[in-house]
Amino acid sequence: MSFAQDIIIRPIISEESMDGIAFNKYTFVVAKNANKIEIAKAVEELFNVDVASVNTMRVKGKLRRYGRFQGYKPSWKKAIVTLAEGSDTIEFFEGMI
């Protein structure tokens, strides 16, 4: 992995992820082959913040049906990034709280 934009795909906007902002926790969809160190460096580079920890999990794709046809949505990887105590907030999420 070389670029931060290739590692951090998009933020996750949900009730649960918005509740985590109060505790300096931000949730992102990340590249499947990215590790915790790469994710932390990418968040620090993109948002100019200090990262305290990164928790990752793989999310299995769900079964979807359309009439008599069925298939699976793609699997993806989620990262919950905790910012350091004195660090600024991520400005992308500011207007959503």
Side-chain angles (χ1 to χ4, degrees), residues 41-60:
K41 287 181 182 177
V43 170
E44 288 176 350
E45 181 182 326
L46 287 174
F47 301 108
N48 295 322
V49 294
D50 294 324
V51 174
S53 68
V54 177
N55 294 8
T56 60
M57 60 200 77
R58 290 179 152 314
V59 181
K60 187 176 178 184

Side-chain angles (χ1 to χ4, degrees), residues 35-93:
N35 61 33
K36 291 182 180 187
I37 296 168
E38 292 172 339
I39 293 168
K41 287 181 182 177
V43 170
E44 288 176 350
E45 181 182 326
L46 287 174
F47 301 108
N48 295 322
V49 294
D50 294 324
V51 174
S53 68
V54 177
N55 294 8
T56 60
M57 60 200 77
R58 290 179 152 314
V59 181
K60 187 176 178 184
K62 293 183 178 179
L63 177 68
R64 291 290 180 230
R65 290 183 44 192
Y66 186 76
R68 64 187 176 118
F69 303 105
Q70 68 181 15
Y72 285 90
K73 293 193 83 174
S75 299
W76 51 285
K77 190 172 189 178
K78 174 167 59 170
I80 300 172
V81 178
T82 304
L83 301 184
E85 281 286 323
S87 183
D88 295 334
T89 59
I90 295 178
E91 295 168 5
F92 180 82
F93 292 92

